[in-house]
Amino acid sequence: MKLEEIYAKYDEIIRKDSSLPYIKCKDCNYTFFYARHFCPKCGSRNIEVLKSSGIGKVFSWTKIYRKGETWIYGIVELEEGFRVYCNFTDNVKIGDKVKVKIVRNDKYYSILASRV
Amino acid sequence: MIVGFASNLYKKYEGSAFEILADTLFSALDVAGLNKDEIDGLFLTVLPGTFDGYATLHFPTAQIAQYLGIKPKFTKVFDYGGASALSMIYHAYKAIKAGEGDTIACIVGGKASDLRGKGVTVDSVDKAYADVSITPFDRLFRGLNDLNPVSDYALVANRHKYLFGSTDEQRALIAVRQRFNAQNNDKAMFRDPLTVEQVLKSSIVAEPLRLLEIVYPIDGFHVFIVSKRSSKSNLRPIDVLAYGEAHWTVMPTELDDIIYTPAVQSAKDIFNLNKVDAFELYDSFTITVMLQVEDIGLAEKGKGGEFFEKHDTTYLGDIPINTGGGSLNTGQPAYMSGGVILEEALLQLNDMAKGHQVKDADTVFLNGIGGWNRAHSVSLVLGEEK
Ligand SMILES: [Zn+2]
């Protein structure tokens, strides 16, 4: 698979219902989100693009205070085993269960996680 | 072989980065007793957005050599951010020992005020300039509101608290000790005594990190002259006693855990820490220092906070750390503190650290951390070969 094909599949999954795509290596089962056309663990090209349940746990978080504004930013570990950076819609603690949504804005994607 | 060094630091310099750079280089050459035409090698580092407001320099080593009016035999850019300064010194020593040249100028710095004025941080430089690539995954990574690198270290600090029970007070203690060390350092911008309470009362920037736990980005340069010609220099003949570097350039989300830095690898078994008289550790944030104390092996993983409770880390103490107050107190030139810790190490080794001198400092361990989200670590031990 070429990188652009992977991104096309990502787009298809995201457009459908804001679900989070990810990649699984069919040889070593390593899962990852940040797209490459091979498995960064074992080097295999035998990979597939899948749709995550979007369910995960807060791995770490921070609440940022800037010019009168606040927002919450952090990392979620999905139940499929990979992690993503995201913005949280709620106050969270490490270990809290969350559901992740992803949307495309122009060129970039935004990932939001809410407590469930 | 470090025969000259100098620095010029400003909260905000009204003028060009080329001016500060050249003035600092000439001061360092004065100390070395050399002139610019004797420079064989030019090593430097630049961070996007920190050179006179430009996102990048086209052929940076050539531009800088042009302004200085020098014709080096070789040039090299080190792009490890805060770890660059330490790497340059080692590679300069190696180049000279290999006979590639006699004199190498190592340059670190720039103008942080250009970016500061745009209201962005250095790892959010893409918010100030279009089409700056931050990661190979920009499409999936950007579009998010962060405040890198503050947010990155805040995530680490919160996870460290969660996993090991480290406390805000323990991190504050690091800022307090370093301020004590800064009180008599004429390079320091912040010198008033500081208490744990004051640190904890300062405003939160990214939870749990507070204002007094974060470096202030400034303008300025450090220049180090490495040369085998040292007859006119009064500096002690300092050698590189040990060296290690490591580059963990994976996305932090793909690390086993974010509470480790590549110092785990760069510092692994390179030197007997009991033989070290002072430690100069990268201090972009209080948590950075706590992580390095653990990762270089001064404390077990997770016990960095307790380490600061148990040991006196002032320049008068049993394990002196960041003896001049570190960049938390001098400010961070162009978002890279490597020059600050390297200059302090050289002051200590040359008995020139007035008001904060560690008695009989013969061996200094340095660790630099830098790059996007702590990707690079360089460990360096300086002292006289015995
Ligand atoms: Zn694999």
Side-chain angles (χ1 to χ4, degrees), chain B residues 167-203:
Chain B
T167 64
D168 295 347
E169 286 76 9
Q170 288 170 336
R171 285 197 326 277
L173 197 52
I174 297 172
V176 169
R177 295 274 175 71
Q178 292 200 192
R179 180 62 63 84
F180 178 87
N181 289 342
Q183 282 180 79
N184 297 311
N185 180 1
D186 56 18
K187 295 264 175 197
M189 179 163 72
F190 305 115
R191 291 195 227 172
D192 293 337
L194 192 64
T195 64
V196 167
E197 292 68 36
Q198 281 172 309
V199 178
L200 296 179
K201 268 190 207 151
S202 65
S203 52

Side-chain angles (χ1 to χ4, degrees), chain A:
Chain A
M1 239 187 287
K2 291 286 229 182
L3 194 53
E4 279 313 315
E5 290 174 66
I6 293 173
Y7 275 114
K9 285 218 165 190
Y10 267 41
D11 252 2
E12 201 184 297
I13 291 171
I14 291 162
R15 285 237 167 84
K16 205 165 164 215
D17 52 4
S18 300
S19 289
L20 192 69
Y22 70 103
I23 301 169
K24 184 174 186 180
C25 172
K26 290 202 240 178
D27 286 337
C28 77
N29 289 323
Y30 181 65
T31 56
F32 56 103
F33 172 69
Y34 295 99
R36 291 96 157 174
H37 69 294
F38 64 97
C39 169
K41 263 288 186 276
C42 76
S44 166
R45 307 272 170 141
N46 191 13
I47 56 170
E48 56 184 336
V49 176
L50 297 169
K51 181 173 121 174
S52 162
S53 66
I55 299 294
K57 281 181 178 171
V58 178
F59 186 77
S60 197
W61 62 275
T62 178
K63 188 172 193 174
I64 298 167
Y65 295 74
R66 179 104 167 135
K67 295 176 181 165
E69 259 190 276
T70 64
W71 66 92
I72 305 165
Y73 171 76
I75 299 172
V76 165
E77 185 165 274
L78 280 301
E79 58 184 14
E80 292 87 0
F82 64 97
R83 296 182 206 128
V84 298
Y85 282 110
C86 65
N87 287 113
F88 293 102
T89 58
D90 310 297
N91 282 312
V92 288
K93 296 189 310 296
I94 294 175
D96 282 354
K97 196 173 170 189
V98 290
K99 172 93 201 244
V100 172
K101 290 270 175 202
I102 175 168
V103 291
R104 182 169 182 168
N105 325 296
D106 184 25
K107 214 163 116 189
Y108 303 127
Y109 300 86
S110 297
I111 303 177
L112 285 179
S114 306
R115 250 195 354 234
V116 287

Side-chain angles (χ1 to χ4, degrees), chain B residues 5-9 20-21 24-25 28 43 45 85 88 105-110 187 218-225 327 330-333 336-344:
Chain B
F5 62 94
S7 67
N8 283 299
L9 309 180
I20 320 176
L21 189 163
T24 313
L25 177 84
F43 288 178
T45 185
M88 281 179 204
C106 301
I107 297 171
V108 256
K187 295 264 175 197
I218 58 164
D219 299 346
F221 278 89
H222 285 86
V223 175
F224 305 93
I225 307 291
S327 54
T330 60
Q332 187 180 44
M336 298 178 286
S337 302
V340 173
I341 58 175
L342 181 54
E343 180 175 43
E344 175 61 19

